[in-house]
Amino acid sequence: MCAASRHLSDRIADVWGERTPYGPGDPWPVRVDAFLDDSIGEEEVDAWFRSASILHSNGDAMDIGVKDGRIVGVRGRAVDRINHGRLDPKDLYGWQAVNSPDRLTRPLVREGSELVETDWDTAMDRIVSRSQDLLGEGPGGWGHFGFYTTGQLFLEEYYTLGVIGKAGIGTPHMDGNTRLCTATAAASLKASFGTDGQPGSYIDIDHCDALALFGHNVAETQTVLWMRMLDRRRGPEPPKMVVVDPRRTPVADEADVHLAVRPGTNQALMNGLLRELIVNGWYDADYVRDHTLGFDELRSVVEAYPPELVADICDVSVEDIQEAARILGTAQRLVSTVLQGFYQSNQATVAACMVNNLHLIRGMIGRPGAGIYQMNGQPTAQNTRETGADGDLPGLRNWENPDHIEELARLWNVDRQKIPHWAAPTHAMQIFRYAEQGSIKLLWVSATNPAVSLPELSRIRDILAKEGLFLVVQDLFLTETARLADVVLPAATWGEKLGTFTCVDRTVHISDKAVEPPGEARSDLDIFLDYARRMDFRNKDGAPLITWDDPESAFEAWKECTRGRPCDYTGITYERLRGGSGIQWPCNDRHPDGLERLYSDGVFNTDPDYCETFGHDMVTGAVHTEADYRAKAPAGRAFLHSAEYQPSPEVPNERYPFTLTTGRTVYQFHTRTKTGRAPQLQDAAPEVWAELHPLDAQALGVAEGDVLRITSPRGALKARARVCGTRQGTVFVPFHYGYWDKGEAAAPQEPERAANELTLTDWDPVSKQPLFKVAAVRVAKAANANGTYAPAPVIGASAPPDGSARTRGGPTAVASSRVEE
Amino acid sequence: MQLAHYLGLLLQAEHSLSDAFQEVGRAHAAEADVYFICQKLVRQCDEHAESLRPFVQRYSEQAPDEPERLHSELFQGSRSGGLGLLRDLQDLYLMTAECDICWVMMGQAAQGARDSELYEVATRCGVETSTQAAWLRTRMKQAAPQALVVS
């Protein structure tokens, strides 16, 4: 018999909602969160449709409520393994953007300096005719195409796009904005374990006795995962917590040890921590011997990083390093998570691999409570990676393995030479470089906004606006990027189309079509299928290359592509996904209900015929050859990678004495395309701000709310100062704020708002993820506050020490929460 | 004993390679990865040269004078554009090959001279030099189809 209590709360002010404490090994209590249009009660909803979140990467399952053909709200799914009913504020309020009056409803084409409305035939004809001209330019026609997609479409859409690119046009120039958020997660998983795929499950939070968060402000990026952690922290036998973050985030506040490292020094810290573990004997010598390769080299590299040296490099105390190492070294069930603080920083891939090393040398992998989450930044990023819509091949295949290419050629019935595999697929920054040089002449951007999200924006805007570059943008709104396009295609979104997607812990959810898209907007799948038809892509036998025509048939085709691969979907059907909870891959004859944890037997996916990569040099990114790889005889053992610490490519100097780091607030997602159109979310974080340490503020003569001018060698912006808990010498600016709600232009005459005006063009040598966290900047006061606070939320890392201002959603933000007891 | 001869040769080769990484990196600064990795490799080559100094001293009786920093015959000077990048990286590749084989010879000589310190240096620097070549090969393989077929 279940009793339930229902609470109403303003989830703008009460971001994480009511605590439901629980102990180790107990089930996480159910708490069903819901928010509906204020005039509508749950009983008045006509129908509920199955879905999950696409406003962050956690994969929280929900039902979409529809009344009179319109989305009217959302309710968390109690039975789902991911969230047990809970929802993030972005999900509670963000659905309103779907109903936004400024949605694109008709295709647009460029006529001179204007974008004018047109019909689908005209818009598609322009793209197809340009495509055919480029393909006709000779044997290198494929090289004029670039595709830049996202982490927010559905699996079926990515797979279709991947096949069009690889077997239709035959170009390697395809990547996602996942390059900015999750490339290092994939690279580190491949490097350590042989293939992509999280070893653990979120359920490991229920069992762990220690939590380590590396550059991961989970309280704001995946609030429901944080609720789960907090509920363990408030219950009996709470897990210890270690946090590495240069900012005083809510997670850092909660931690037992907070290492506020100097940006760019993660690798030095990790070397120091691993050294402490090894010196103190806190490792499992049998596991290391039987299941890993590279321990001697790791030991010899980290030996040179005693705590005193690391304290000096990272600017943290020796005692904190030792205490953190003691927690990591003595835990019996350790969960580690990694995100942008590592992925977007200096030495990203090797530092993320060091977290894998920590688990490998302790044998903390593949059993309850011993988990690693190399997190994703975006909701469907896992699928971009799996399907080959980014710089990988479909089914986690290895571009250097001729047998893998042959498998794809057979599956698609094309000549193997058609599939580009002469080098790693082209990463996003290189795609933009080819466009800058003019060899890429058609760039197709789907569901992402590079004019705000890529580094060094003045350069990116120049590329997008370049004469001779035919820019196609497929989106919901007229974004900053869409304004520069030659053709704009209006797309349907979440709730308006059917498909599936997979979250960090390999759980697949279905997302049903609840309502019709506005006007003539079409699903991204239909757009890609239409392009393939019009381009008349054929297989070897002259039949159409794309053999599917709707989401479910695309999913069935994808299942065949995954057969026998680590991400095996063959046991999943749409019908099963509508059953109750999402289902984890691999799901096949051997694991009919999915597999909770990979590598429980200590056998990793490193076999040369099975692995996804033959590996890279961590310093330069040089690829290792197949012969090198086979000579290591991995035989199912995992790799322990190691590297010396090297300073960031850009460090503070006399002219630019501060380090800029960029990131998110809990209330916004990406460039606010959706969250900026949900009033409760937008009002909570309406405008850019810059976080300064109190001592830095004092030295600059800056007080709360003063307008700062922040300058880097690339550009400048203006933002009001929030004096709070970032580390000394470090300035934080959220990257959400572009120019779409500042007027008509893609950017004003004097750009003044977007964090990426300041960031530098450089990327990790292995994952190719840009370095957003280590730009050198100068800070100066531009104007007095005149009594105005910074427009920064007081909840989250931007909380001021004195609690002087308030963030609340007010009466329009009242959501309900039902806890089952 | 002719060990000093090869020490001089290697020292000069590392200096030339360092200069060439510097020049190519700067000439192709718009290729951000090339620029930043060349910067790293400049430091690495300088460090290799520095590691050789004690041995130049040790074997100084036979050592030639401090070698001149001659512009390598392998390096034609930087070019521009996609094809220019490829040609410049190819020059660097050949220069790393010269260093690489010198380090192999140095390792052999060190074993013959029973000089374990030199052997350790030759092994470490030899591995790093092979990695430099592997990076150049990786980067060139990536760039070649676009530079040679598409552009």
Side-chain angles (χ1 to χ4, degrees), chain A residues 570-586:
Chain A
T570 51
I572 305 179
T573 62
Y574 271 24
E575 193 188 344
R576 288 192 72 192
L577 290 174
R578 291 200 179 97
S581 173
I583 301 170
Q584 285 179 297
W585 65 248

Side-chain angles (χ1 to χ4, degrees), chain A residues 461-575:
Chain A
R461 280 189 295 265
D462 286 349
I463 295 171
L464 292 170
K466 193 176 144 62
E467 195 71 32
L469 179 72
F470 188 82
L471 180 65
V472 180
V473 174
Q474 178 172 323
D475 213 310
L476 314 181
F477 297 99
L478 197 62
T479 61
E480 291 87 341
T481 305
R483 285 175 171 144
L484 299 168
D486 295 282
V487 177
V488 180
L489 303 175
T493 186
W494 170 94
E496 298 167 347
K497 61 180 186 179
L498 170 62
T500 58
F501 53 91
T502 308
C503 71
V504 176
D505 90 338
R506 296 175 279 108
T507 300
V508 187
H509 287 113
I510 197 163
S511 186
D512 268 317
K513 180 174 175 176
V515 296
E516 289 299 324
E520 295 174 26
R522 289 183 183 171
S523 79
D524 298 275
L525 179 65
D526 284 343
I527 296 171
F528 295 142
L529 289 173
D530 187 34
Y531 178 68
R533 263 192 308 270
R534 289 172 190 261
M535 289 295 289
D536 198 27
F537 294 126
R538 298 274 161 173
N539 67 20
K540 229 162 42 177
D541 299 330
L545 172 69
I546 308 284
T547 55
W548 50 92
D549 55 12
D550 66 2
E552 190 160 6
S553 53
F555 186 78
E556 290 299 318
W558 165 245
K559 282 162 63 175
E560 281 315 304
C561 185
T562 66
R563 189 178 292 280
R565 294 300 299 159
C567 56
D568 195 328
Y569 282 69
T570 51
I572 305 179
T573 62
Y574 271 24
E575 193 188 344

Side-chain angles (χ1 to χ4, degrees), chain A residues 317-363:
Chain A
S317 78
V318 169
E319 295 69 30
D320 282 350
I321 294 168
Q322 288 170 331
E323 177 58 10
R326 197 188 59 74
I327 292 172
L328 302 175
T330 58
Q332 296 306 304
R333 296 176 306 280
L334 172 68
V335 165
S336 294
T337 77
V338 193
L339 196 59
Q340 310 307 1
F342 272 44
Y343 298 166
Q344 294 178 340
S345 191
N346 183 37
Q347 296 187 283
T349 302
V350 73
C353 284
M354 291 297 281
V355 179
N356 298 340
N357 292 349
L358 164 64
H359 283 255
L360 285 166
I361 70 168
R362 295 222 54 221

Side-chain angles (χ1 to χ4, degrees), chain A residues 153-312:
Chain A
L153 298 185
F154 292 167
L155 185 163
E156 296 78 358
E157 296 166 334
Y158 294 134
Y159 183 55
T160 305
L161 180 63
V163 178
I164 288 172
K166 285 165 183 64
I169 291 167
T171 186
H173 306 328
M174 180 180 290
D175 202 359
N177 63 12
T178 48
R179 187 63 62 185
L180 319 181
C181 82
T182 187
T184 302
S188 71
L189 292 168
K190 285 189 256 186
S192 297
F193 308 126
T195 67
D196 196 352
Q198 298 295 337
S201 284
Y202 290 155
I203 200 171
D204 290 322
I205 304 287
D206 304 354
H207 301 277
C208 69
D209 68 353
L211 276 164
L213 295 97
F214 297 95
H216 184 198
N217 180 11
V218 62
E220 299 194 66
T221 53
Q222 291 88 10
T223 59
V224 171
L225 192 60
W226 178 235
M227 294 171 204
R228 198 166 189 157
M229 293 176 180
L230 267 186
D231 285 345
R232 278 298 318 278
R233 288 279 291 182
R234 298 291 172 271
E237 301 174 59
K240 289 274 187 195
M241 258 182 83
V242 174
V243 170
V244 181
D245 198 313
R247 299 165 74 208
R248 205 197 63 210
T249 64
V251 190
D253 263 349
E254 174 73 22
D256 299 297
V257 181
H258 173 206
L259 297 162
V261 295
R262 197 193 305 276
T265 65
N266 295 329
Q267 181 62 12
L269 177 73
M270 294 312 296
N271 280 343
L273 290 173
L274 269 282
R275 179 187 179 278
E276 287 299 289
L277 261 59
I278 292 172
V279 165
N280 288 294
W282 292 326
Y283 67 97
D284 181 339
D286 291 344
Y287 194 92
V288 166
R289 185 194 61 226
D290 295 341
H291 302 293
T292 72
L293 277 165
F295 184 73
D296 289 342
E297 199 187 336
L298 174 69
R299 174 158 54 189
S300 88
V301 170
V302 302
E303 237 164 33
Y305 294 83
E308 296 73 19
L309 174 68
V310 173
D312 190 45

